[in-house]
Amino acid sequence: VGIPTRNRTAFLRQAIASVLAQTHGAREIIVVDDGAGAAEALRDTSPLIRVLDNRERGPVPARNLGVAQAQGDVIAFLDDDDWWTDRDYLSLASQAFENGAALCFGDGIMAFEDGRQQASFAFDADAKSLERDNTILISAVTYRRSLHDSLGPFDESLPFYWDWDWYLRVARAGSSLVHLARPVVAIRVHARNM
């Protein structure tokens, strides 16, 4: 599980707690620190956690660094201000991979910090629909690491929509996309969101 972070340790702790609460445990949690202080804030949290220094190169290089350093054959991302709400998310993803999926994604809820009612984010996606819109939440994506071997890393020249660009590459390659049609993640909507 790769978690890019930048100076949001309170949010980061909740994200990590949601990973540690999964019924199908993660092999490793790679926190890629793009600011300062993540290593100190996470001291003695879990032996599964490894903190990497991204040297303030930004969120896309942080994700590429996390993938490059990952030991496992399956990658999942969770933004530092989001959290997994379904304790069976990684178990469901594991079952999808056993059935031939290359990439699976779940639904989410938008959690507004100002107290507004939570909104659902639930969309299917395939090669055709991805040509029109990005309906996949990066914090609800799990995929085979081998996709990076065949399709390359995330495009670091794209400050926005780098994830959409990559999903399009995955879909155009004919890889199997599996929709876990249930909310698996909460996306925190706050003033520091992009």
Side-chain angles (χ1 to χ4, degrees):
V1 177
I3 305 177
T5 189
R6 183 174 174 86
N7 304 330
R8 297 194 289 211
T9 56
F11 293 163
L12 176 61
R13 288 179 192 277
Q14 183 178 18
I16 289 172
S18 75
V19 175
L20 295 174
Q22 290 291 300
T23 57
H24 181 93
R27 179 175 173 185
E28 63 184 338
I29 301 170
I30 299 176
V31 176
V32 184
D33 190 358
D34 199 45
E40 188 64 31
L42 299 175
R43 179 176 289 163
D44 301 325
T45 305
S46 168
L48 295 176
I49 298 173
R50 190 162 36 127
V51 180
L52 305 176
D53 184 356
N54 192 48
R55 304 185 191 280
E56 297 186 22
R57 295 182 308 132
V60 182
R63 291 179 197 280
N64 282 333
L65 177 60
V67 170
Q69 294 295 312
Q71 306 278 324
D73 61 351
V74 173
I75 304 291
F77 281 111
L78 181 61
D79 285 351
D80 65 351
D81 54 348
D82 301 336
W83 67 96
W84 288 336
T85 57
D86 188 332
R87 294 184 66 227
D88 292 324
Y89 169 52
L90 291 182
S91 179
L92 294 168
S94 178
Q95 291 170 20
F97 293 122
E98 287 176 13
N99 292 325
L103 181 147
C104 63
F105 61 97
D107 298 334
I109 58 167
M110 309 308 277
F112 297 93
E113 286 204 320
D114 64 4
R116 285 186 283 158
Q117 186 175 1
Q118 294 181 342
S120 175
F121 189 99
F123 301 95
D124 201 359
D126 58 27
K128 187 173 182 177
S129 70
L130 285 170
E131 294 286 341
R132 293 185 307 272
D133 195 10
N134 179 13
T135 55
I136 299 177
L137 299 167
I138 188 63
S139 288
V141 167
T142 307
Y143 60 89
R144 294 187 182 279
R145 181 196 176 107
S146 60
L147 290 175
H148 281 284
D149 297 335
S150 60
L151 302 173
F154 304 121
D155 186 342
E156 295 181 9
S157 72
L158 298 174
F160 305 103
Y161 304 122
W162 56 269
D163 54 339
W164 190 7
D165 168 73
W166 203 74
Y167 304 147
L168 284 167
R169 284 192 271 158
V170 170
R172 288 173 179 159
S175 300
S176 171
L177 306 179
V178 173
H179 180 201
L180 304 174
R182 61 197 272 178
V184 299
V185 67
I187 305 297
R188 190 186 315 265
V189 181
H190 58 93
R192 291 178 60 197
N193 282 114
M194 289 178 69

